[in-house]
Amino acid sequence: MPALMLASQFFWAQGSSSIRENLNPVVENFVNEVNAHSQLEEMAYELLDGIGPRLVGSPEMLASNEWSADKLRSWGIEADLQQFGTWKGWQRGMTHVDMTYPRVKSLSAMQLAWSPPTRKPVEAEVIVLPKVSSKAQFDQWLPSAKGKIVLMSQYQKIGRSDEQIKEFATPELYEKLKAEKEQASSDFREYIKNIGYDNNTLPEALEKAGAAGIAISNWTGIMGANRIFGAKTTSIPMIDIEMEDYGMLFRMVEKGAKPKIKIEAQSKILPEAKTFNTIGMIKGKEKPDEYVILSAHLDSWDGVQGGTDNGTGVITMLETMRILKKYYPDNKRTIIVGLWGSEEQGLNGSRGFVADNPEIIKGIQAVFNQDNGTGRVVNISGQGFVNAYEYIGRWLNAVPKNVKEHIKTDFPGMPGGGGSDHASFVAAGVPGFSLSSLNWGYFGYTWHTTKDTYDKIVFDEVKNNVILTATLAYMASEDPEFTSREKRVMPQNERGETLKWPEIKQPRRSSKDYK
């Protein structure tokens, strides 16, 4: 009973604060609904724990499309899947990697997305790249890779984060270790350049030379976190080994211990899969041919759940649609939620939507996109639209003070050329805005890493973003004026050249030639 009383007092205080602040009644309903009846945690569980990673072309990606459409329909919102292409089909299975010599140890490792499966476990000696200084020397060495598992990444001498070293080292030691690390990275980049290969062509060359497998370690610089992207091989396994185990193997090779590892990767190569965007729509009652779009990408990389990239954006936009449907029944303009596929391979879903829906693009009032982690929104740029200050400022005036006070704005700003799905709309001359979040360690710790899990979500911050997004969508829908698309005069770069507005790019409709 005391807990219930405290909860009631909390919600009463929120409501009282809203009243004292003289919020628009619709916005006040948004605030109360988010605080009292949030479905964010349940949706995060269903999406992240239930479905898991959402790699384009995988059965899990299709499951997330169907789940999100069903969720919208359960709230009485029209929803369907819009196909924009196809992609190579693949499904992750178990990965098991063990060191079998000179001692036995299970390793922390994972096959990369689209890695070929091992029909039976592959066991072989581990080797490192040779100490050579030219492509000719490297090519002469390549036959030595036959039947071996090759460590292809830079060796990391120190496995502590820069922040921890700075905290505990003397200033002199910190500068010494920092310089050594920078020099090692520079030397490795120069080495790869000198041997004439890159991250795409080197695995191909090793595979062609008969290597039994390839191992990398794409360490973020934070203990325990590796980035997981796609394999570059077609017939041999390509895996990522966590930095600590990778370093152990590297040192063993250097000391002449000739370690062996055994790789079992039970992925499935599936038929070509259709790729979809999930599109939900609440039709406008007064101006149905003008649109407010809520935007987030539904796909993720395959290493882990994709919690902050972009599970948080997805649940933010779904929750926003739920409360708009419930508390804004007479929406003036049509409100669309677009949950895009294949963002990670080049904004393909949103670019496909722009290309395939010209009539909608002509009538877009605004796009609000969220895609950089769990933190509260702290920045909104005008994306290069001259009059964005006027209407964004007007819409922000309706946002509750405790949400709005964290936000810095930048007008007119510069148009986004890539990075996330608002850029697809900006390139088409449509006011598309990134709701940019507070970092919460996003780029170092969770972005595309093995640590991007449910437990990294800070739900109070996501609630903040739902209130913001719902209010902006409501105000954009109600605004009597259609937003201006006038673009800024583009500045010059340091060479005196006038920068250009980003060009519309066509989506990649299939995985052919994708690397």
Side-chain angles (χ1 to χ4, degrees):
M1 183 66 71
L4 288 172
M5 290 174 65
L6 281 171
S8 299
Q9 290 168 5
F10 171 75
F11 294 128
W12 178 85
Q14 292 286 309
S16 299
S17 174
S18 298
I19 293 170
R20 288 196 300 272
E21 197 181 333
N22 196 30
L23 289 178
N24 180 297
V26 174
V27 175
E28 186 176 344
N29 284 335
F30 297 162
V31 173
N32 293 335
E33 178 70 13
V34 169
N35 284 325
H37 304 294
S38 168
Q39 294 190 18
L40 291 168
E41 292 188 34
E42 181 63 24
M43 285 193 286
Y45 167 76
E46 293 171 4
L47 179 63
L48 305 180
D49 288 341
I51 296 173
R54 302 166 300 284
L55 182 73
V56 60
S58 70
E60 291 76 19
M61 183 66 220
L62 178 59
S64 69
N65 283 126
E66 293 172 340
W67 169 82
S68 53
D70 287 343
K71 188 64 68 177
L72 290 162
R73 293 178 191 125
S74 74
W75 302 323
I77 297 171
E78 178 186 332
D80 61 10
L81 308 186
Q82 289 189 4
Q83 184 180 352
F84 61 88
T86 63
W87 207 263
K88 53 187 174 183
W90 187 83
Q91 186 172 34
R92 177 177 294 282
M94 289 191 302
T95 305
H96 203 86
V97 183
D98 298 297
M99 181 172 70
T100 58
Y101 181 84
R103 58 187 175 88
V104 175
K105 181 185 187 300
S106 291
L107 305 179
S108 295
M110 179 180 293
Q111 61 185 311
L112 299 179
W114 303 299
S115 175
T118 55
R119 290 175 176 80
K120 60 180 182 179
V122 173
E123 185 174 10
E125 181 185 342
V126 176
I127 62 173
V128 301
L129 298 177
K131 293 180 172 65
V132 297
S133 57
S134 70
K135 188 176 188 302
Q137 291 175 321
F138 185 83
D139 289 346
Q140 188 175 7
W141 169 87
L142 266 174
S144 304
K146 186 175 182 179
K148 306 295 197 302
I149 296 171
V150 184
L151 302 184
M152 203 186 86
S153 294
Q154 177 187 346
Y155 169 65
Q156 302 290 341
K157 182 179 178 180
I158 296 180
R160 294 184 182 274
S161 67
D162 288 344
E163 290 78 8
Q164 193 174 82
I165 296 171
K166 190 171 185 178
E167 180 180 358
F168 293 106
T170 63
E172 295 80 11
L173 178 57
Y174 172 71
E175 292 301 326
K176 176 180 179 289
L177 295 178
K178 180 181 176 184
E180 288 177 353
K181 183 177 180 181
E182 290 173 351
Q183 186 62 53
S185 295
S186 175
D187 289 347
F188 188 76
R189 288 193 299 270
E190 187 68 17
Y191 169 81
I192 295 297
K193 180 181 177 182
N194 288 340
I195 65 173
Y197 292 92
D198 59 29
N199 287 336
N200 288 325
T201 58
L202 182 53
E204 293 171 356
L206 292 169
E207 183 174 36
K208 187 176 180 181
I214 297 172
I216 66 171
S217 186
N218 194 359
W219 186 46
T220 65
I222 292 177
M223 290 181 285
N226 276 29
R227 301 200 196 282
I228 302 296
F229 293 108
K232 307 298 182 182
T233 55
T234 58
S235 61
I236 62 173
M238 188 166 179
I239 62 172
D240 182 276
I241 302 177
E242 286 195 9
M243 182 272 299
E244 293 83 358
D245 283 342
Y246 186 92
M248 176 192 68
L249 291 170
F250 196 101
R251 290 188 295 273
M252 285 180 165
V253 174
E254 292 281 87
K255 294 293 185 180
K258 295 187 176 182
K260 291 183 179 180
I261 65 174
K262 181 167 68 175
I263 301 172
E264 184 176 6
Q266 296 181 358
S267 57
K268 295 179 183 178
I269 296 175
L270 302 174
E272 192 84 357
K274 295 179 180 179
T275 53
F276 298 99
N277 296 318
T278 301
I279 304 297
M281 183 180 298
I282 307 173
K283 290 186 178 178
K285 311 308 186 291
E286 184 178 324
K287 297 184 175 183
D289 295 329
E290 295 183 12
Y291 304 89
V292 176
I293 295 186
L294 309 180
S295 167
H297 73 87
L298 183 56
D299 67 307
S300 74
W301 275 107
D302 184 60
V304 75
Q305 293 169 313
T308 65
D309 186 26
N310 185 32
T312 44
V314 170
I315 63 175
T316 294
M317 297 308 167
L318 286 174
E319 181 81 334
T320 298
M321 287 294 282
R322 182 182 74 82
I323 66 175
L324 286 169
K325 176 67 175 177
K326 186 172 183 178
Y327 291 107
Y328 182 36
D330 296 319
N331 50 301
K332 182 179 292 187
R333 292 178 171 87
T334 295
I335 299 173
I336 291 176
V337 61
L339 304 178
W340 318 115
S342 194
E343 185 269 355
E344 299 292 3
Q345 290 70 47
L347 315 185
N348 293 320
S350 56
R351 284 175 176 167
F353 183 86
V354 170
D356 298 342
N357 296 275
E359 291 303 311
I360 290 178
I361 300 307
K362 285 194 303 185
I364 291 177
Q365 172 83 331
V367 178
F368 301 109
N369 183 64
Q370 213 279 318
D371 176 29
N372 69 324
T374 190
R376 61 190 177 275
V377 172
V378 293
N379 185 272
I380 299 176
S381 164
Q383 295 295 323
F385 293 97
V386 171
N387 298 304
Y389 173 82
E390 179 186 346
Y391 50 83
I392 290 286
R394 189 164 61 246
W395 301 342
L396 280 172
N397 283 337
V399 175
K401 182 181 178 182
N402 67 334
V403 175
K404 179 173 56 180
E405 65 186 359
H406 304 293
I407 300 172
K408 293 182 179 180
T409 54
D410 174 24
F411 297 108
M414 288 292 290
S420 192
D421 293 293
H422 64 285
S424 300
F425 296 91
V426 171
V430 172
F433 304 102
S434 173
L435 306 180
S436 184
S437 293
L438 190 66
N439 189 283
W440 279 88
Y442 177 70
F443 288 106
Y445 191 44
T446 61
W447 178 70
H448 298 169
T449 76
T450 51
K451 302 302 178 185
D452 193 10
T453 47
Y454 177 105
D455 52 281
K456 306 308 184 298
I457 298 175
V458 183
F459 285 100
D460 284 342
E461 298 275 74
V462 181
K463 288 179 181 180
N464 175 96
N465 296 346
V466 172
I467 293 169
L468 170 67
T469 308
T471 305
L472 290 175
Y474 164 66
M475 292 298 291
S477 175
E478 285 291 293
D479 199 318
E481 301 294 328
F482 189 69
T483 51
S484 166
R485 300 189 178 198
E486 182 182 351
K487 302 172 185 176
R488 66 169 295 167
V489 174
M490 296 293 281
Q492 293 183 335
N493 62 21
E494 63 276 6
R495 296 187 298 273
E497 302 163 336
T498 301
L499 298 175
K500 295 181 179 179
W501 194 270
E503 295 181 356
I504 296 176
K505 294 182 179 179
Q506 293 303 308
R508 188 185 290 273
R509 300 282 188 176
S510 79
S511 54
K512 184 184 178 189
D513 301 325
Y514 171 77
K515 292 183 178 181

